[in-house]
Amino acid sequence: MQTQPVDKSLGPLPSHRDWGATPASREQEERTQAAGTMEIVYVYVKKRSEFGKQCNFSDRLAELHIDIPPNPELAEQFMERNPVDTGIQCSTSMSEHEANTERFEMETRGVNHVEGGWPKDVNPLELEQTIRFRKKVEKDENYINTIMQLGLIMEHCVKQNNAIDIYQEYFDDEDAVEVTEEAPSAKTINVFRDPQEIKRSATHLSWHPDGNRKLAVAYSCLNFQRAPEGMSHDSYIWDLESPNRPETVLKPSSPLVTLEYNPKDSHILLGGCYNGQIACWDTRKGSLVAELSTIEFSHRDPVYGTIWLQSKTGTECFSASTDGQVMWWDIRKLSEPTEVVIMDITRKEQLENALGAISLEFESTLPTKFMVGTEQGMVISCNRKAKTQAEKIVCTFPGHHGPVYALQRNPFYPKNFLTVGDWTARIWSEESRESSIMWTKYHMAYLSDGAWSPVRPAVFFTTKMDGTLDIWDFVFKQCDPALSLKVCDEALFCLRVQDNGGLIACGSQLGTTTLLEVSQGLCNLQRNEKNTASSIFERETRREKILEARHREMRLKEKGKAEGREEEPREEEVSINLEELVAKAEEEFFNVIYSEMKRKETEALKKPTEQKQSPEEEAEEAEPEVQGQGEDEEEEEEEQEEGPEETPH
């Protein structure tokens, strides 16, 4: 790079003419480029007046301008420092710079492909017109050339796919994996936060049925009449790879408490609203509600459970609410429910006696049975195909001390089901109705949700109000969870496990959905795990049956003793009454005898021969005077006459 020296201190050259770069300098630059000594050349072009006075350099002898001789007196003001330590950095000095790169946000948009490209005068629905147009296009020379060119590209792709399959699973045939000694672990891989300023609770989660690459989250405030003003009603569908912005926004008329994907059609979602209505969305039609139940025939309380039924049409579902009703619906006609069952365990079908439903369970292998978890802590087993309404409630299980927030059958052994409520999680068997066969210890924090692992029969998950996720493996450890993970500081409200068991989504009180990935040991079936879990369930069921029989015997004995005790107090009461009567008669008898003896004594002492009476005798005579029974008037006059004589004493 060649530049001319500039000395602006000398001032600009007094000239009225504009100057550019000199021809000599340009020739020199061209020679430099031609020689190849310097690849990069930057030419400064500006006016000559801005260069200032031209500098002229020449050779000359050195000149001494200032000479300061040494002053010995100044040395007295200083002290010599010996030795001197000086740090020397041997490595090259480096500097660190940080820069924020431009943020790149990704956005996914769906496209619905329909048959197009037809001219305006051709109706694609008319078969004759389309055939006629195709024949016309096929005769065109450009059409043949285009097909030949595209055919070569397609042939190359087909051969490439035949050579190697990039999606081939090499170890997909193995059913079980050897038991690994890897410690159970989980890690957070993504966090989806509620984009609204006024935060709401994430009340329900649902995985996309195809590939599980999307997650639907329902947001609402469950505090009765305490919802903040301006709170949004929107719920979202998130793409796991883009947590910054939701992929789809669902706009209900009332906040959603529950939200479920249709397993047969991934574009259809079913939602239960806070005001009791049932809403249905078709994501191909946009964010607005596609179908909505009429409020007159809907639930009276928030809808806490919605489940799709395994039907041929894929349009049937049912819902449950705390108003004590379970309703069946067909989304093709949501104006009114097709069937209603009232959760009245007295079998009188009275809505005021119904128990509020807060969780639902339906197993496709048992199409006529369903289970309901209630606010009162009881689990109700029902049969939809019963002849009468009263027979639809089959039996009850005395579950928890509080609401049953989660209820789910074991995916491998449907006779055993999991319930979560109060401070414990319990495992039940349909054969033992009086008590659960297994249960966790009482935790310090309230439990809010739970679910079985879809791939391991002995693993289940629970969430707590202190923000902790517990993973239980009762084959590995029964007293404590195999892994306890602090997910967030606020309370966790809901939990959902992916179909392959590797990912877990947890929704919190502030609307934050955390996505966790568990270790391979927790999401792969272990060797002989099915047999082990089955034997544990059978053993605990037998034990509970024996205990129930023993308790029934003890209750019968106590009932018999209680009936015998009721007869014994009657005999004791009769005996007590007789003893009291005898004692009272004896007391009266001795009182009569005592009074007679006193009277005779007083008569013997009060003879006319006696002139004086002692104070003791006077006291003895005072008692008959108080009694006043059987004494003559003459004796009273004598006592009054003798009284003044004894006054001095």
Side-chain angles (χ1 to χ4, degrees):
M1 183 182 298
Q2 297 179 358
T3 59
Q4 294 183 357
V6 178
D7 187 2
K8 293 188 178 181
S9 61
L10 300 176
L13 184 66
S15 174
H16 63 278
R17 184 179 178 183
D18 293 341
W19 292 82
T22 60
S25 63
R26 290 183 179 177
E27 292 177 1
Q28 187 176 1
E29 290 170 2
E30 292 175 358
R31 288 195 302 272
T32 305
Q33 292 179 359
T37 56
M38 184 173 293
E39 297 179 357
I40 301 174
V41 176
Y42 187 83
V43 180
Y44 292 91
V45 179
K46 61 179 179 179
K47 297 180 180 180
R48 178 64 184 86
S49 60
E50 297 178 3
F51 284 156
K53 186 177 180 180
Q54 186 177 3
C55 296
N56 296 322
F57 297 98
S58 60
D59 295 334
R60 61 181 179 178
L61 298 175
E63 297 179 0
L64 179 62
H65 294 280
I66 300 175
D67 183 14
I68 303 176
N71 188 358
E73 296 179 356
L74 296 176
E76 297 177 358
Q77 301 178 6
F78 296 90
M79 181 181 295
E80 184 181 3
R81 186 175 65 176
N82 189 16
V84 178
D85 296 332
T86 304
I88 299 174
Q89 184 68 26
C90 298
S91 60
T92 308
S93 298
M94 306 287 290
S95 62
E96 181 181 358
H97 298 277
E98 296 180 356
N100 291 328
T101 58
E102 183 179 357
R103 189 172 182 176
F104 180 71
E105 295 185 0
M106 297 180 62
E107 182 177 356
T108 304
R109 294 185 179 181
V111 178
N112 294 327
H113 175 72
V114 295
E115 188 175 0
W118 298 95
K120 294 182 179 180
D121 56 345
V122 176
N123 186 4
L125 300 178
E126 292 291 338
L127 184 61
E128 294 181 359
Q129 295 184 16
T130 54
I131 293 175
R132 192 182 304 113
F133 182 76
R134 284 196 180 97
K135 289 182 178 179
K136 179 181 177 182
V137 172
E138 289 174 358
K139 293 179 180 179
D140 192 356
E141 295 180 358
N142 294 331
Y143 173 79
I144 298 174
N145 295 332
T146 305
I147 292 297
M148 293 299 294
Q149 293 176 3
L150 294 176
L152 295 175
I153 300 174
M154 181 59 65
E155 185 180 1
H156 173 73
C157 295
V158 170
K159 290 181 178 179
Q160 190 178 28
N161 290 338
N162 292 334
I164 184 172
D165 183 9
I166 62 174
Y167 300 106
Q168 181 181 359
E169 293 287 344
Y170 294 98
F171 307 102
D172 195 21
D173 298 335
E174 296 186 4
D175 295 334
V177 180
E178 295 292 331
V179 178
T180 58
E181 298 181 357
E182 178 188 4
S185 62
K187 61 180 180 180
T188 302
I189 61 174
N190 233 333
V191 177
F192 307 95
R193 304 185 187 277
D194 184 7
Q196 299 294 331
E197 294 182 0
I198 301 176
K199 301 302 179 183
R200 305 148 309 157
S201 302
T203 54
H204 198 83
L205 306 171
S206 180
W207 287 98
H208 193 277
D210 298 335
N212 295 325
R213 301 310 303 170
K214 297 178 183 179
L215 184 67
V217 185
Y219 297 89
S220 64
C221 179
L222 298 180
N223 296 329
F224 181 65
Q225 293 185 348
R226 294 183 183 177
E229 295 183 1
M231 186 187 75
S232 175
H233 295 174
D234 297 347
S235 293
Y236 306 106
I237 298 176
W238 297 88
D239 190 342
L240 301 188
E241 296 181 356
S242 59
N244 298 323
R245 183 184 302 174
E247 183 186 68
T248 308
V249 181
L250 305 178
K251 295 184 177 296
S253 58
S254 177
L256 291 180
V257 181
T258 178
L259 187 62
E260 288 288 349
Y261 268 108
N262 189 337
K264 288 192 173 182
D265 189 352
S266 59
H267 299 288
I268 306 297
L269 290 100
L270 180 71
C273 299
Y274 189 79
N275 63 355
Q277 289 181 291
I278 302 297
C280 182
W281 280 268
D282 188 344
T283 55
R284 293 167 294 189
K285 296 181 180 180
S287 300
L288 299 179
V289 178
E291 297 289 340
L292 184 66
S293 64
T294 55
I295 198 165
E296 294 84 3
F297 297 99
S298 300
H299 293 281
R300 303 180 183 181
D301 284 353
V303 181
Y304 282 95
T306 53
I307 294 181
W308 290 94
L309 297 175
Q310 294 290 339
S311 60
K312 294 181 180 179
T313 60
T315 59
E316 296 180 9
C317 58
F318 71 113
S319 60
S321 172
T322 50
D323 62 355
Q325 298 182 98
V326 177
M327 296 183 177
W328 277 261
W329 306 85
D330 192 330
I331 62 173
R332 295 174 296 182
K333 185 182 177 183
L334 279 179
S335 57
E336 59 181 356
T338 58
E339 188 179 352
V340 178
V341 175
I342 298 175
M343 295 292 104
D344 184 6
I345 59 176
T346 61
R347 295 177 172 84
K348 296 180 180 179
E349 300 181 28
Q350 296 181 358
L351 191 58
E352 57 269 15
N353 298 333
L355 303 181
I358 204 168
S359 57
L360 269 180
E361 165 59 28
F362 174 77
E363 177 61 36
S364 58
T365 58
L366 306 172
T368 61
K369 293 184 179 181
F370 67 95
M371 304 184 76
V372 179
T374 63
E375 283 185 308
Q376 292 74 14
M378 187 176 295
V379 178
I380 304 175
S381 178
C382 305
N383 185 4
R384 184 188 177 189
K385 298 299 182 181
K387 295 181 180 179
T388 62
Q389 292 289 337
E391 293 178 356
K392 289 186 176 181
I393 297 179
V394 179
C395 62
T396 59
F397 299 86
H400 296 268
H401 303 296
V404 181
Y405 289 114
L407 173 63
Q408 186 184 7
R409 292 183 184 271
N410 190 297
F412 296 88
Y413 305 101
K415 288 186 177 180
N416 302 100
F417 57 93
L418 171 72
T419 61
V420 172
D422 53 61
W423 300 272
T424 60
R426 297 176 179 270
I427 300 175
W428 302 75
S429 173
E430 288 186 344
E431 300 175 359
S432 176
R433 298 181 180 179
E434 295 185 6
S435 63
S436 56
I437 61 174
M438 299 174 67
W439 57 88
T440 65
K441 64 180 181 181
Y442 279 81
H443 298 276
M444 297 300 295
Y446 213 72
L447 269 67
S448 57
D449 201 358
W452 286 103
S453 171
V455 293
R456 291 193 56 188
V459 174
F460 63 93
F461 309 89
T462 59
T463 55
K464 294 189 292 187
M465 299 296 283
D466 60 355
T468 304
L469 170 68
D470 289 338
I471 303 177
W472 295 82
D473 184 356
F474 56 79
V475 172
F476 172 68
K477 188 188 296 184
Q478 296 185 357
C479 298
D480 297 309
L483 177 64
S484 185
L485 187 66
K486 182 74 171 178
V487 178
C488 56
D489 295 331
E490 64 267 17
L492 292 176
F493 270 21
C494 55
L495 164 74
R496 205 64 180 266
V497 187
Q498 199 182 31
D499 291 341
N500 59 10
L503 297 179
I504 306 170
C506 303
S508 72
Q509 186 178 10
L510 298 180
T512 301
T513 303
T514 305
L515 194 62
L516 301 165
E517 184 180 11
V518 298
S519 58
Q520 292 296 322
L522 293 173
C523 61
N524 289 330
L525 187 66
Q526 305 297 305
R527 185 175 57 184
N528 296 328
E529 183 177 0
K530 289 185 179 180
N531 297 332
T532 305
S534 177
S535 62
I536 291 176
F537 286 149
E538 292 177 358
R539 181 193 67 197
E540 296 300 323
T541 303
R542 286 197 302 268
R543 180 181 64 84
E544 285 299 323
K545 286 183 178 179
I546 295 172
L547 291 176
E548 287 178 7
R550 178 60 178 165
H551 288 163
R552 280 196 294 268
E553 293 178 2
M554 294 175 64
R555 284 197 295 268
L556 291 174
K557 289 181 180 179
E558 291 178 358
K559 186 177 180 181
K561 290 181 180 179
E563 292 176 354
R565 289 172 184 171
E566 289 179 357
E567 296 177 356
E568 289 177 359
R570 294 177 183 175
E571 297 177 357
E572 292 178 358
E573 288 177 1
V574 174
S575 60
I576 290 172
N577 293 336
L578 291 174
E579 291 178 358
E580 290 179 356
L581 292 173
V582 171
K584 188 175 181 181
E586 289 179 353
E587 185 179 358
E588 292 177 354
F589 175 76
F590 286 117
N591 288 338
V592 171
I593 294 175
Y594 182 73
S595 61
E596 284 293 326
M597 291 176 63
K598 286 292 183 181
R599 188 178 64 80
K600 290 180 179 180
E601 288 179 359
T602 53
E603 289 178 355
L605 291 173
K606 293 177 181 178
K607 292 181 179 180
T609 56
E610 293 181 357
Q611 296 180 356
K612 292 184 180 180
Q613 294 179 349
S614 63
E616 295 177 356
E617 294 173 349
E618 185 179 0
E620 291 176 356
E621 292 176 356
E623 290 181 359
E625 181 182 358
V626 174
Q627 294 176 358
Q629 296 179 356
E631 293 187 358
D632 299 336
E633 295 178 356
E634 294 178 348
E635 293 177 355
E636 292 177 358
E637 292 176 355
E638 290 176 359
E639 287 178 358
Q640 291 176 358
E641 291 176 357
E642 293 175 356
E645 293 179 0
E646 295 181 359
T647 302
H649 296 289

